[in-house]
């Protein structure tokens, strides 16, 4: 068995929803959990440690059934951002296929900031302030104590998917890549999901659950609850520092018990949003040219 299909990103671009649809297909064996992060050797991860490919297979694909599963897949959303993951994947399986989901970088960056703040990796309560700290953090300063991977706080670089797609296309033939735009997926999740199945050469399949929303914006109900979660995240980082690879799953269990609420994200201040549009303008034009699709509306008022 080898994994032959990789949902490689980008984060906050509908990947959780696509994963939830694909994993229900009877001919797809999708990793559990979704994100092994096995091949992004240049990024620190909270995913379970695997020493080699055999351990990777056993840990994330114990449910594989050769008689029914014609596609073996995983969905690590930082593979597109990683500088090592694609090369590592191709060394592992030169015939691998890739799914890339892309979103307006302004919205993606704000959504990613919200998730990192909610999850305790970010400690600055204003996205505008967090954005201004990127250069300082490149120098190793002002990094939150519980942050596992500071590279994930480089919001501009993480969300500059034009440059990332350009790098991907230098390594992988275009016919082995399926691109999905978040706007299209949001408008027609069923149609885009079926397009991915066609790309994989699989029969169309739709579960009884339909196409429900996944991964809505969340916020802690109070500061003390968020602080409790930060302590849990800090425990994971300490465990990694001490070289303890396997946890007991206590933090995951407690996370489910901590109260939270779903809430619509507060709109960015107009002046700051315009600044972000200018920051991402050239990268969006690169992406438009690579995909032969006009995405300039992403960075226009």
């Amino acid at each position: 068995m080898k994994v032959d299909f990789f949902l490689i990103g980008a984060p906050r671009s509908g990947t959780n929803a696509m994963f939830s649809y694909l994993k229900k297909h009877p001919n797809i064996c999708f990793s559990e959990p979704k994100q092994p992060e096995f091949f992004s050797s240049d990024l620190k991860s909270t995913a379970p440690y695997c020493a080699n490919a055999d351990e990777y297979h056993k840990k994330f694909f114990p449910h594989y059934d050769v008689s029914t599963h014609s596609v073996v897949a995983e969905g690590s959303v930082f593979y597109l951002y990683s500088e090592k993951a694609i090369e590592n994947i191709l060394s592992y399986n030169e015939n691998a296929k890739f799914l890339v989901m892309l979103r307006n970088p302004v919205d993606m960056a704000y959504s990613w900031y919200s998730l990192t703040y909610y999850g305790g990796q970010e400690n600055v309560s204003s996205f505008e302030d967090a954005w201004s700290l990127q250069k300082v953090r490149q120098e190793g300063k002002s990094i939150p104590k519980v942050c596992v991977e500071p590279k994930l706080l480089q919001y501009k670089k993480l969300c500059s998917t034009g440059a990332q797609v350009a790098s991907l296309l230098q390594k992988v033939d275009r016919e082995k890549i399926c691109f999905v735009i978040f706007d299209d997926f949001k408008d027609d999740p069923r149609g885009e999901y079926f397009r991915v199945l066609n790309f994989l050469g699989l029969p169309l399949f739709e579960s009884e659950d339909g196409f429900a929303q996944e991964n809505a914006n969340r916020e802690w109900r109070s500061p003390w609850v968020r602080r409790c979660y930060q302590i849990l995240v800090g425990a994971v980082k300490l465990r990694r520092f001490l070289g303890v690879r396997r946890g007991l799953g206590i933090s995951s269990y407690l996370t489910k018990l901590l109260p939270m609420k779903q809430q619509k994200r507060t709109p960015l201040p107009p002046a700051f949003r315009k600044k972000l549009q200018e920051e991402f303008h050239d990268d969006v034009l690169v992406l438009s040219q690579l995909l032969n699709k006009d995405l300039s509306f992403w960075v226009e008022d």
Side-chain angles (χ1 to χ4, degrees):
M1 183 207 81
K2 275 194 174 181
V3 183
D4 52 11
F5 180 52
F6 295 84
L7 200 177
I8 60 175
R12 311 305 291 169
S13 299
T15 60
N16 272 4
M18 184 64 79
F19 158 72
S20 72
Y21 307 152
L22 291 172
K23 72 175 182 179
K24 296 171 186 174
H25 195 288
N27 300 128
I28 299 178
C29 176
F30 218 110
S31 60
E32 288 288 355
K34 169 194 169 193
Q35 296 189 188
E37 297 293 347
F38 175 65
F39 294 99
S40 50
S41 54
D42 56 325
L43 299 176
K44 298 174 185 176
S45 171
T46 57
Y49 173 76
C50 298
N52 52 50
D54 287 340
E55 189 172 337
Y56 164 67
H57 295 156
K58 292 176 182 177
K59 185 165 293 184
F60 292 98
F61 305 94
H63 49 299
Y64 171 70
D65 185 344
V66 67
S67 65
T68 59
H69 294 139
S70 55
V71 172
V72 184
E74 67 128 296
S76 299
V77 297
F78 300 120
Y79 285 168
L80 183 64
Y81 178 52
S82 167
E83 296 177 1
K84 299 289 186 180
I86 303 304
E87 294 176 1
N88 290 339
I89 290 172
L90 294 176
S91 295
Y92 161 81
N93 185 354
E94 63 181 5
N95 297 315
K97 290 185 176 182
F98 300 87
L99 172 58
V100 179
M101 302 187 69
L102 301 164
R103 184 180 186 180
N104 181 331
V106 176
D107 297 331
M108 176 185 166
Y110 187 26
S111 180
W112 175 246
Y113 158 79
S114 298
L115 183 65
T116 55
Y117 183 72
Y118 161 82
Q121 299 287 308
E122 173 64 84
N123 63 353
V124 178
S125 60
S126 159
F127 181 36
E128 192 165 359
D129 291 340
W131 181 271
S132 69
L133 287 173
Q134 290 176 100
K135 186 175 181 180
V136 173
R137 286 172 167 174
Q138 280 183 324
E139 301 170 355
K141 303 174 183 177
S142 299
I143 304 295
K145 293 181 180 179
V146 298
C147 180
V148 175
E149 177 49 89
K151 291 179 182 178
L152 300 183
L153 300 182
Q154 294 298 314
Y155 300 104
K156 182 176 180 179
K157 187 175 181 180
L158 176 68
C159 300
S160 294
T161 50
Q164 296 166 27
V165 169
S167 177
L168 175 67
L169 288 170
Q170 291 177 350
K171 303 168 185 174
V172 181
D173 293 337
R174 186 180 288 265
E175 60 266 22
K176 293 183 178 179
I177 309 172
C178 179
F179 293 102
V180 172
I181 302 300
F182 179 81
D183 309 65
D184 299 334
F185 184 51
K186 185 177 179 181
D187 290 341
D188 184 13
R190 184 174 184 269
E192 292 300 294
Y193 160 68
F194 281 174
R195 191 165 66 85
V196 174
L197 294 183
N198 284 326
F199 168 73
L200 293 172
L202 293 176
L204 301 186
F205 171 83
E206 183 174 343
S207 73
E208 296 179 356
D209 299 338
F211 300 94
Q213 181 184 9
E214 299 282 340
N215 218 17
N217 185 59
R218 297 179 179 180
E219 295 182 1
W220 296 115
R221 293 191 181 278
S222 65
W224 75 266
V225 173
R226 182 177 181 275
R227 181 56 183 159
C228 289
Y229 186 78
Q230 283 183 306
I231 293 173
L232 296 177
V233 175
V236 172
K237 186 175 181 181
L238 177 61
R239 175 169 59 80
R240 287 178 54 85
F241 177 78
L242 295 175
V244 179
R245 296 296 187 180
R246 289 184 173 83
L248 299 176
I250 296 175
S251 60
S252 298
Y253 175 73
L254 290 178
T255 299
K256 296 177 182 179
L257 298 181
L258 294 176
M260 62 189 72
K261 59 182 178 180
Q262 291 189 2
Q263 182 167 311
K264 189 173 182 179
R265 194 171 292 110
T266 303
L268 290 170
F272 182 47
R273 184 173 185 87
K274 184 173 180 60
K275 176 184 177 180
L276 295 181
Q277 289 174 329
E278 294 171 353
E279 292 268 5
F280 286 114
H281 180 271
D282 291 348
D283 187 75
V284 169
L285 293 186
V286 169
L287 186 61
S288 295
Q289 294 172 355
L290 292 172
L291 301 185
N292 194 27
K293 184 180 179 70
D294 185 9
L295 301 171
S296 59
F297 65 94
W298 280 355
V299 287
E300 293 175 353
D301 291 336

